[in-house]
Amino acid sequence: MSIGHTFLGLLESGPRHGYDLKRNFDERFGQDRPLAYGQVYATLARLLKNGLVRVDGTEPGDGPERKRYAITDAGVTDVGRWLDQPEKPEPYLHSTLYTKVVLALLTGRPAVGVLDTQRAEHLRLMRELTRRKATGDLADQLVCDHALFHLEADLRWLELTAARIDELASEVTR
Amino acid sequence: MSTSGNPARVWARDLAFGVRFAVGGGREGWARTLLTAVGVGLGVAMLLLAASVPAAFQSRSVREDQRVASYSDATHAGPGPHTLLARDAATTFRGNGITGELVRPDGPSPALPPGLSRLPGTGEMAVSPALHALLDAPGSALLRERLPYRTVATIGAAGLSGPRDLYYYAGDPQLTTLNDNAARIDHFGASSSEQPLDPVLILLVVVAVVVLLVPVGVFIGAAVRFGGERRDRRLAALRLVGADRRMVCRIAAGEAAFGSLLGLAVGAALFLGVRQLASDVTLYGLSFFPSDLRPETALTVLIAVAVPLSAIAVTLLALRGVAIEPLGVVRNAAPRRRRLLWRLAMPLAGAALLYPKAGRGGVSDTVGEIQVGAGAALLLVGLTALLPWLVEATVRRLGGAGSVPWQLACRRLQLTPGSAARMVSGITVAVAGAIAVMTLMSGVGTQYTRPTGQNTAQAQMAAYIDLPKGTDPGAVVSAFRGTPGVTGVRSATTAVAATVPALARARAVFARKHDPDVFADVPQISLTVAGCPQLEAYTGEHGCRPGSVYLIGEGDSGQPVVRPGETIDLAVPDPAATSAGSARPWTVPATARTGTAHVDATGAQHTGVLATPQALSTAALADPQVQISLTLAPGVADAPDQVRNTAVRFDPSDPTVMLSATDTSGPFSGIRRAVLAGATVVLALIGASLLVSTLEQLRDRRRLLAVLVAFGTRRGTLGASVLWQTAVPVVLGLALAVAGGLSLGALLRAISHTPGGYDWSGIGTLTGIAAGVVLVVTLASLPPLWRMMRPEGLRTE
Amino acid sequence: MTPVPVPDPGPDTGDLLMVATGLRKTYGATPALESADFSIRPGEVVAVMGPSGSGKSTLLHCLAGIVQPDGGQVRYRHQEMSAMPDAERSALRRGEFGFVFQFGQLVPELTCLENVALPLRLNGVRRRPAQERAAQWLARLEVDTVAGKRPGEISGGQGQRVAVARALVTGPRLVFADEPTGALDSLNGERVMRLLAAAAKDSGAAVVLVTHEPRVAAYSDREVVVRDGRCRDLEQEHAA
């Protein structure tokens, strides 16, 4: 996810401080990991440099929260372009997990074990997300579902691979 | 699937499609088609059997006519090379009627009966295969004793009425024409002496045929619908790929036609099979050779055409009630409330056809037969139209209250009252028809069944023995006294006399003409010689002493024909007499008293001259007959046969009779038996179809049953719900059947113009049998139900 | 719902609600289960997963006493189920267990309310109290609007919720759910699972949840995988 574009989108509704941006971002999108301050200011610095935001005003004092940011016309255009552009589906052709399985097979370790371990871990996470879904609002539910569907896809891949592990073994070790 | 092309080709294509579905639906499809074929086949076999009945009875009676040793055709000429003496020697063994002739050839080449290549010689006999088997059977010792001849030949089929016919010819050297029971004949066979049936009996026959065949039609209709729900789903799938409504109908017609054609083949095969078995079956004393059962050609053609056509008609009619949509079958979700009005029209039309015939005293013409037949059929079929309305109207009022099985059954009936009604409509029609026939019969029966006046409490058997010359009646009596199983013997010796002048005139005529018939025209006076106890019973008088004589009047006048002191002639010559003999006068004592006739245990009245042996010696009587009534020891099963064995020592033609309080006329009891047998078979047939449709319903619910078992439903609960589900429509159907049957019966009785009450016990029995059929069907469907209630049902996903 | 005190038959059952060991079941020549072990604690939701034909449903049928295993033992609260006669196992299913299947489980001619009341009625509860309780459960599963309708007149999701109500109406200790969302889209499936899990949790019922959908399995507390007729408890292995 592009943090820069998200910031621009948030700024479009009105200028705000970096701290407010981080809080808004965390509330809406940062389900799992809150943004680090460093990352906030690094992103804003890049946007400033590219002319997509400008400093709307500086408040007196010496705290870190002195600058307010506003979006520029170029920034608005950039957000529109970003939203119109489809995301490229990510094929994950060389996932770490696949690598692990193949390595396990090559080294004679139990490859199914690798898969099962991962499977248990996936389901543990899915369970956690399902629980969170039960207590959260609609936004929470949709975000959790997004993650759940992805995890489910991974889990299906794990099941499929486990079912075809012998086939894979004979090809890899040939 | 385009609908273009000429109509005939479109039809042919869609019908062919249907056939392919009938055979190509995998195991399920085949099972369904076979089920239909077997159901239709059963019905067709019944129809073919019914169509062979006329021919069967005809060939049977032809053979019976051909073997008769006709006494009316007896030759008065003397013995010749082809003549023989024959004497009827029928008897009864353990309730089986055995027919036989004693024969004695006059010359070297006597006439032969059909089925024999030579007559049995002295002490020999030829027997039918069935009699042969009966003679050989263990426990037939008394019969072997009664027919003490050596079996030398078997009578061929041409000489038998049927395969189970018990018949024999035995050679008896002692036959003479002097013995009035033997006749000299020069050929076997008599011209058929068929009497036209009584109009009332024709009515009975027409109604019986309708009553038996309408349920068979209903049964075939039900068989064609086997597997209908599954078929509807398949047709829905066809709609999904683009078949239109009419194509679907044609395809369904093709399926139905194929199933019913297969059914015709099955029916023909079944019929041929049953025909082969026919020789092993005796139904109410009748048996037939397989070759006797030939369906009438016209009827066979009718069956072959009408069955597939009506199968198609029924299918199309059934499809009218459902909308087969591409996404599934829509049974009219909120079914039209069934309207009573037009459903009443059919039975009322039937009644309207019957009513004008009331008071005609039966049916005597073809138009009348058709009118009555059609009226009865309309009334009966109309009941099947009324039944769905009745079931629906009733179950709508049944709440879901009550036990779980009751609730399940009620709800199910509320959802599909039509199929419930269809299931029992066959039983309704069969029972209604049979009740109608029984009602008519109980009316007719009072006409055709009359009391005999016999008192079975006093005596259970009687024997009438023509006393051989020189035999003392006392010897006969003591022979019966010594018979095992006999506890009491009463006897009287009877003979005839005539007035002296009448007999003298006849002798004078005989002397000129040598015609023994002149003696037959002489007015006869009955003579009875018996001990005092009997005479007191016969006359109702007291104070009889040895030597007493009573004069009892005959007829309405009650005036004795003989007066005390009058002389009568005891020597009345027999009808085959060759000489006139001479008079043997006897004078009625002046002390003879007059009295009135009383009925004895055998239902007979003794009139004329009643005398004690001291007054009139039995030795003086001409051709005396000993009348014996016997009391049998209760519980001795072979007592009657012991008595018969004793009796045939004096008279080979078995002079015994069993006494019974009533007597039923021959054709009437025949029809009654046939109707009861037919109703039983039809009910069994309907039971089979009920079983099939119940099982089919259960199979369609296999998964649901498995689920119910999974959450712990007791088997008994489901069994009870199946029972209720069947019992409710059956009770309604039977109620309708009783009402309809009694109405039809009352109408028919009005036509036959016979009085009489209703045969409630018969109606009860019949209704009971029908209810029993349902119970048996439900019980028979329980084991498959248990089997279906296994968790395997959960696996079919 | 207080557990009846029973003498502890051995160390293996402990506080477990049901324990199965070494289950074997063969259909014809096809082995469906070969030495499967399983256990569930009171109130626990256990997902049984695995590829089609792995023996998931057979395991469920054996655990629920619908099918007698060819070998092995099933203990429910210290009672050996394979030793029970059919009538006793049926009574257990009526009183202690609840069932939800994929489809075709509602009696088509009964209304939804009568369907839910059915297990109570089979247990001998009179009609009126049975239907009152059934109505409460229909409300609980948010399908009280269809109480008077027949199963043919309602949607698949509503039907499954009626089935869940029926499974829970007797207050069972153990609910067996065999692909309860298998015939539903994900939104309806989620809703059924959410209600099932919540209702089971509230009433303290344990759930054996057979499914092939990971998102449905995510409603469980623990997962068991059936592969080639054998059960594996991945988390326990992982922890060990």
Side-chain angles (χ1 to χ4, degrees), chain C:
Chain C
M1 277 293 133
T2 43
V4 187
V6 277
D8 196 340
D12 55 333
T13 45
D15 60 344
L16 294 172
L17 184 65
M18 179 178 271
V19 179
T21 46
L23 290 181
R24 277 191 302 105
K25 180 73 193 176
T26 306
Y27 287 115
T30 329
L33 281 182
E34 295 180 69
S35 181
D37 298 339
F38 180 87
S39 65
I40 188 167
R41 277 183 289 275
E44 190 184 25
V45 180
V46 176
V48 178
M49 297 192 72
S52 318
S54 59
K56 300 187 296 275
S57 290
T58 306
L59 175 66
L60 181 136
H61 294 161
C62 287
L63 294 177
I66 300 172
V67 161
Q68 281 283 45
D70 299 334
Q73 288 188 320
V74 180
R75 279 169 180 274
Y76 171 72
R77 306 180 73 219
H78 310 310
Q79 290 167 279
E80 174 55 51
M81 281 182 48
S82 43
M84 289 183 192
D86 180 66
E88 223 169 289
R89 277 184 288 134
S90 293
L92 202 60
R93 292 203 297 271
R94 261 198 321 275
E96 303 269 304
F97 300 166
F99 292 89
V100 185
F101 296 99
Q102 185 172 355
F103 59 82
Q105 50 191 323
L106 298 176
V107 182
E109 49 267 22
L110 296 184
T111 63
C112 291
L113 184 70
E114 287 166 341
N115 260 296
V116 175
L118 191 59
L120 290 173
R121 302 266 282 127
L122 290 171
N123 267 339
V125 180
R126 299 189 68 81
R127 196 167 75 101
R128 191 173 294 270
Q131 295 201 346
E132 275 165 13
R133 252 162 84 189
Q136 288 165 11
W137 273 100
L138 282 177
R140 180 79 228 277
L141 286 150
E142 302 164 16
V143 276
D144 39 345
T145 48
V146 301
K149 291 191 173 155
R150 295 215 167 88
E153 301 164 339
I154 62 176
S155 74
Q158 288 171 329
Q160 280 311 87
R161 278 182 278 154
V162 171
V164 171
R166 189 175 66 178
L168 291 167
V169 72
T170 54
R173 279 176 219 264
L174 185 49
V175 173
F176 293 93
D178 192 352
E179 301 281 7
T181 63
L184 301 178
D185 62 70
S186 42
L187 188 61
N188 271 302
E190 290 278 333
R191 194 163 176 202
V192 166
M193 263 329 290
R194 182 168 54 76
L195 290 165
L196 169 60
K201 197 121 279 180
D202 287 357
S203 59
V207 180
V208 177
L209 174 64
V210 167
T211 183
H212 67 277
E213 288 175 272
R215 270 178 311 109
V216 171
Y219 281 91
S220 67
D221 301 319
R222 188 157 62 84
E223 182 203 23
V224 162
V225 176
V226 183
R227 212 172 271 156
D228 302 327
R230 291 168 197 275
C231 279
R232 307 188 55 195
D233 190 328
L234 296 181
E235 276 135 298
Q236 278 179 3
E237 285 174 24
H238 193 55

Side-chain angles (χ1 to χ4, degrees), chain B residues 19 65 133 142 164 170 207 238 320 326 340 375 463 465 562 643 646 674 709 726 731 777 792:
Chain B
V19 172
D65 286 341
L142 283 174
R164 313 300 297 168
V207 172
L238 282 179
R320 245 187 18 169
L340 180 58
I465 291 173
V562 204
V643 168
T646 302
V709 173
T726 324
V731 166
V777 165
E792 277 74 11

Side-chain angles (χ1 to χ4, degrees), chain B residues 74-312:
Chain B
T75 173
H76 289 301
H82 305 307
T83 61
L84 68 146
L85 291 175
R87 175 183 177 161
D88 169 63
T91 186
T92 303
F93 179 68
R94 278 203 235 116
N96 299 309
I98 300 170
T99 326
E101 295 280 341
L102 299 181
V103 294
R104 179 188 162 198
D106 288 321
S109 55
L112 288 173
L116 275 193
S117 54
R118 74 175 186 88
L119 284 180
T122 300
E124 295 175 341
M125 70 175 164
V127 295
S128 69
L131 182 56
H132 200 284
L134 184 60
L135 281 165
D136 283 350
S140 295
L142 283 174
L143 182 61
R144 288 192 291 273
E145 195 180 300
R146 198 179 312 163
L147 302 177
Y149 313 98
R150 193 155 40 83
T151 302
V152 294
T154 305
I155 306 171
L160 301 174
S161 69
R164 313 300 297 168
D165 190 17
L166 299 171
Y167 207 89
Y168 73 95
Y169 296 96
D172 183 349
Q174 271 142 32
L175 289 185
T176 62
T177 45
L178 289 176
N179 186 327
D180 59 355
N181 282 321
R184 172 159 289 124
I185 58 173
D186 56 6
H187 68 276
F188 283 88
S191 51
S192 172
S193 58
E194 207 170 294
Q195 342 160 236
L197 272 177
D198 190 313
V200 172
L201 290 180
I202 291 179
L203 171 70
L204 206 49
V205 170
V206 167
V207 172
V209 167
V210 167
V211 157
L212 292 181
L213 291 191
V214 168
V216 171
V218 172
F219 173 79
I220 291 182
V224 173
R225 288 179 177 217
F226 287 161
E229 296 191 9
R230 206 170 293 267
R231 192 229 15 234
D232 292 350
R233 283 201 290 277
R234 192 172 47 243
L235 292 178
L238 282 179
R239 293 272 279 136
L240 192 61
V241 297
D244 65 23
R245 200 175 288 269
R246 276 183 310 187
M247 288 168 77
V248 158
C249 283
R250 286 195 293 264
I251 290 171
E255 268 193 81
F258 180 76
S260 58
L261 284 175
L262 207 60
L264 277 181
V266 170
L270 220 56
F271 170 73
L272 291 176
V274 167
R275 208 165 84 133
Q276 287 315 306
L277 295 179
S279 48
D280 295 332
V281 176
T282 314
L283 212 61
Y284 297 113
L286 299 178
S287 69
F288 294 96
F289 287 111
S291 55
D292 291 346
L293 297 173
R294 290 185 313 273
E296 306 256 310
T297 314
L299 291 177
T300 311
V301 171
L302 185 67
I303 292 169
V305 174
V307 166
L309 282 185
S310 39
I312 291 173

Side-chain angles (χ1 to χ4, degrees), chain B residues 505-688:
Chain B
R505 269 197 304 280
R507 285 206 178 86
V509 175
F510 184 84
R512 289 200 308 277
K513 286 191 179 168
H514 281 278
D515 181 1
D517 283 350
V518 296
F519 297 116
D521 297 334
V522 174
Q524 297 183 336
I525 302 161
S526 302
L527 304 176
T528 302
V529 179
C532 271
Q534 256 93 296
L535 288 191
E536 288 186 351
Y538 296 157
T539 59
E541 303 284 327
H542 299 286
C544 169
R545 279 184 306 278
S548 290
V549 172
Y550 296 92
L551 300 176
I552 308 298
E554 288 180 68
D556 297 334
S557 69
Q559 286 301 308
V561 289
V562 204
R563 283 180 303 282
E566 184 176 343
T567 300
I568 56 175
D569 189 343
L570 300 179
V572 179
D574 72 69
T578 49
S579 77
S582 51
R584 196 183 307 143
W586 178 72
T587 306
V588 179
T591 56
R593 280 186 278 162
T594 55
T596 50
H598 281 62
V599 177
D600 72 0
T602 66
Q605 294 185 339
H606 294 263
T607 57
V609 180
L610 279 64
T612 50
Q614 291 78 8
L616 174 57
S617 163
T618 54
L621 302 177
D623 300 323
Q625 187 185 52
V626 184
Q627 296 187 0
I628 295 190
S629 57
L630 298 153
T631 323
L632 303 183
V636 180
D638 67 353
D641 281 309
Q642 295 278 10
V643 168
R644 290 187 193 108
N645 276 18
T646 302
V648 294
R649 273 162 39 200
F650 303 103
D651 181 348
S653 26
D654 191 356
T656 63
V657 291
M658 297 296 296
L659 300 182
S660 84
T662 55
D663 176 36
T664 307
S665 103
F668 171 72
S669 59
I671 291 170
R672 185 196 163 92
R673 285 192 304 235
V675 166
L676 285 179
T680 312
V681 172
V682 165
L683 278 177
L685 193 63
I686 289 169

Side-chain angles (χ1 to χ4, degrees), chain B residues 407-441:
Chain B
Q407 185 186 40
L408 282 170
C410 284
R411 289 280 186 256
R412 173 124 186 111
L413 289 174
Q414 280 167 6
L415 208 58
T416 55
S419 67
R422 253 200 315 282
M423 249 174 50
V424 296
S425 58
I427 287 206
T428 304
V429 169
V431 171
I435 286 179
V437 173
M438 290 183 98
T439 304
L440 179 56
M441 282 198 306

